Each structure stands twice: as C-alpha cells, then as structure tokens.
Amino acid sequence: MNEPSLAYKAAVYAANGHRVIPIPFKSKAPQIKNWGDYPIISDFEAIFPNDQMNIGVILGEPSGGLADIDLDC
C-alpha cells in the first residue's frame, strides 16, 4: 500500500482547518520571511512537490486555536 503524498497530507490538515506552511527538509523552522502572514495554500502539489519538505502549521487563531504542548519528561 502506498503512503499518501506530502501534498495530500498537507491538504488534509488544511481541510481540517489548520493553516499549513512549507518547512525545509530536516529543518524545524520556516525559511519564509513573515511566515505568520503566509497566504492560505490552495495548490498543495506546487508547494509540496515531493517528500523533501516538511509541513508546518501556524498555531493559534489561524488554525482555529490549535496549540502545541511540548513535554520533556
């Protein structure tokens, strides 16, 4: 069974109300200036053309109040 593409996964996040942004492969930070103002993506295949990218999600109000909790215990 084939793994869904990164573009498909990003589209699913977006369909669930999350504001996605591209993150460079093997990175945790966006390389986009003013990434908090990144426009809503509609062409996921163009933004995530292959699996050499990560999916970032803008937290808070742009994603319906989504929060991240990082517990190191």
Side-chain angles (χ1 to χ4, degrees):
M1 188 161 163
N2 290 341
E3 175 88 14
S5 71
L6 197 64
Y8 175 82
K9 292 175 185 178
V12 170
Y13 289 153
N16 284 308
H18 304 308
R19 186 90 169 274
V20 298
I21 59 172
I23 305 290
F25 188 64
K26 295 189 177 184
S27 177
K28 293 183 178 182
Q31 299 298 311
I32 302 164
K33 291 184 180 188
N34 301 318
W35 57 266
D37 297 324
Y38 195 75
I40 295 173
I41 297 172
S42 58
D43 187 356
F44 296 97
E45 294 292 335
I47 303 298
F48 301 97
N50 56 46
D51 290 344
Q52 297 299 309
M53 186 67 71
N54 292 321
I55 300 171
V57 176
I58 299 175
L59 302 177
E61 188 270 325
S63 290
L66 184 68
D68 175 48
I69 299 172
D70 184 5
L71 303 173
D72 295 322
C73 54

